[in-house]
Amino acid sequence: ALGYHVETHGQKGFNGVAILSKSTPFEVNRGLPGDPLDEQARFLEAAFTLSDTRILRVCCIYLPNGNPVETEKYPYKLAWMERLRTFAAERLAYEDMLVLAGDYNVIPEPHDCFDPKVWENDALFLPQTREAFRKLENLGLTDAVRATTDATQFYSFWDYQAGAWPKNNGIRIDHLLLSPEAADRMTSAAIEKHVRAWEKPSDHVPVIAYFDFAG
């Protein structure tokens, strides 16, 4: 009713991702390539034509949590991240504007959490997880938020338990990774922290970026 085109990829009662846009994509791909047996709905790509020669690709990501680490969930997380790296490398070769957006379930650096000691044995912060995230960034992707600020205590998630929100015991796990072509067009990025104080909020808040695609 608000005039958005909506694309979704989901599993009832489990995982799901969506992309809302004011224009209709010319291409939509559901599911992260690399494992035909993977049925989890964690990846959605939509491609948009901005002009005769410029294309914007937006991917919505819900990266596996990976906990408990001693179960099959953690190897699945790392394998999923390697598949994402392979996918990103292939898309970067197109030289389109590319935005990989979503819940990565990765705390990239110690200053992206309130207390690294609390998270040192968690799948979100293990060295292997952070290394996989750096390998993804090292393809040439830009972390939109960190391109605009080095601020600490700058989080996108606060647990519902143990008074995490009023204590500001948060973590930064929601990210926008940009190709060079998209990063060149970004004008600002922010985390909408105030949303966490709404009535019955999500434990995540929006991470946003603005782009100038004119010209």
Side-chain angles (χ1 to χ4, degrees), residues 1 4 12 28 45 48 68 76 84 91 100-101 103 105 109-110 122 124 134 144 161 167 179 184 187 205:
Y4 285 91
K12 188 174 182 180
V28 176
E45 178 190 30
F48 304 87
Y76 173 69
L84 180 61
R91 285 294 185 261
L100 303 173
D103 177 0
N105 273 312
E109 300 292 343
D122 193 281
L124 279 63
R134 285 194 297 271
Q161 308 298 319
K167 295 176 184 177
S179 69
D184 284 346
T187 57
V205 298

Side-chain angles (χ1 to χ4, degrees), residues 116-166:
K117 286 290 184 182
V118 172
W119 295 93
E120 62 183 2
N121 295 316
D122 193 281
L124 279 63
F125 193 59
L126 284 175
Q128 302 97 309
T129 303
R130 295 161 59 202
E131 180 183 0
F133 189 79
R134 285 194 297 271
K135 287 175 65 177
L136 181 61
E137 285 189 293
N138 288 345
L139 293 174
L141 296 169
T142 296
D143 180 336
V145 167
R146 282 299 174 215
T148 62
T149 181
D150 291 323
T152 58
Q153 298 186 336
F154 204 57
Y155 309 133
S156 66
F157 174 94
W158 295 260
D159 200 293
Y160 293 125
Q161 308 298 319
W165 166 243

Side-chain angles (χ1 to χ4, degrees), residues 86-105:
T86 299
F87 170 87
E90 293 172 354
R91 285 294 185 261
L92 286 168
Y94 292 177
E95 298 186 354
D96 294 332
M97 285 170 276
L98 174 67
V99 179
L100 303 173
D103 177 0
Y104 279 72
N105 273 312

Side-chain angles (χ1 to χ4, degrees), residues 15 31 35 64 85 92 100 115 136 141 159 169 171 206 213:
N15 312 303
D35 182 357
R85 190 192 67 81
L92 286 168
L100 303 173
D115 184 354
L136 181 61
L141 296 169
D159 200 293
N169 289 348
I171 55 179
F213 292 130

